[in-house]
Amino acid sequence: MSDMTERNRTEGPDTTKDPAPGQTGGGKAVRRGGGDPATRGRTTIADGVVEKIAGLAARDVLGVHTMGSGMSRTFGAVRDRVPGGSKSVTRGVNAEVGEVQTALDLEIVVDYGVSISDVTHAVRENVIAAVERMTGLEVVEVNIAVSDVKLPEDEEEESETRLQ
């Protein structure tokens, strides 16, 4: 046996050499790009996306009559009646979105007779859970302003429209 043959038998195949591009070495899959795929690239989430999620989550809470201040509700009512107009789920919601955190400001109207502290606590919990679950962002604060109380007798006034 020659020296080269003897060395190949005792050391095995040369394992220090990298396989050619597109080939696998020793039957193993070649991993391209290196690292975890989740770390390749960047994801950005628009403020409006977080506002929609928060608005829908807040409206789901029993005792929240509507969202937004009196003026925004007035404009929203007009917009809702315009053909092609749609309800704005972001009314009464403002989000500041960073790379890993978000902060939210909500303005709500509660139904008369409900505990405002219980409603705001439930809104906070629901909004934080929904936003964190759907976006992966950490919600650092949810500020809630209760701008009005919906009285039972106010319902007839809202259903009448003065637009013709």
Side-chain angles (χ1 to χ4, degrees), residues 9-114:
R9 283 186 174 170
T10 58
E11 294 177 11
D14 186 8
T15 57
T16 60
K17 199 162 103 179
D18 290 334
Q23 296 179 352
T24 60
K28 295 179 184 174
V30 174
R31 198 166 177 183
R32 299 180 185 270
D36 181 20
T39 62
R40 297 185 212 168
R42 204 176 117 168
T43 302
T44 56
I45 300 172
D47 293 1
V49 172
V50 175
E51 289 170 355
K52 282 183 181 182
I53 294 168
L56 291 170
R59 284 174 175 80
D60 282 345
V61 174
L62 192 64
V64 174
H65 179 73
T66 191
M67 303 281 295
S69 66
M71 187 62 79
S72 69
R73 290 194 325 264
T74 302
F75 286 129
V78 171
R79 186 178 51 246
D80 293 347
R81 288 180 175 83
V82 173
S86 62
K87 288 192 174 193
S88 175
V89 295
T90 61
R91 183 176 31 200
V93 183
N94 185 33
E96 293 178 30
V97 179
E99 288 187 26
V100 294
Q101 295 178 325
T102 186
L104 295 154
D105 295 321
L106 306 176
E107 192 168 357
I108 65 173
V109 176
V110 297
D111 291 320
Y112 176 79
V114 298

Side-chain angles (χ1 to χ4, degrees), residues 1-9:
M1 259 192 247
S2 71
D3 285 342
M4 189 57 135
T5 306
E6 184 63 29
R7 195 176 332 143
N8 284 343
R9 283 186 174 170

Side-chain angles (χ1 to χ4, degrees), residues 82-164:
V82 173
S86 62
K87 288 192 174 193
S88 175
V89 295
T90 61
R91 183 176 31 200
V93 183
N94 185 33
E96 293 178 30
V97 179
E99 288 187 26
V100 294
Q101 295 178 325
T102 186
L104 295 154
D105 295 321
L106 306 176
E107 192 168 357
I108 65 173
V109 176
V110 297
D111 291 320
Y112 176 79
V114 298
S115 166
I116 293 174
S117 63
D118 289 348
V119 170
T120 56
H121 179 75
V123 167
R124 251 185 215 97
E125 283 185 344
N126 208 33
V127 166
I128 290 169
V131 170
E132 287 184 346
R133 179 179 52 82
M134 294 178 72
T135 66
L137 296 169
E138 177 190 5
V139 178
V140 292
E141 66 181 5
V142 177
N143 300 311
I144 302 173
V146 179
S147 61
D148 202 359
V149 174
K150 173 67 177 75
L151 301 174
E153 60 268 6
D154 289 347
E155 203 143 335
E156 300 90 38
E157 293 175 17
E158 282 186 10
S159 63
E160 293 177 23
T161 177
R162 296 178 189 249
L163 298 176
Q164 295 182 8

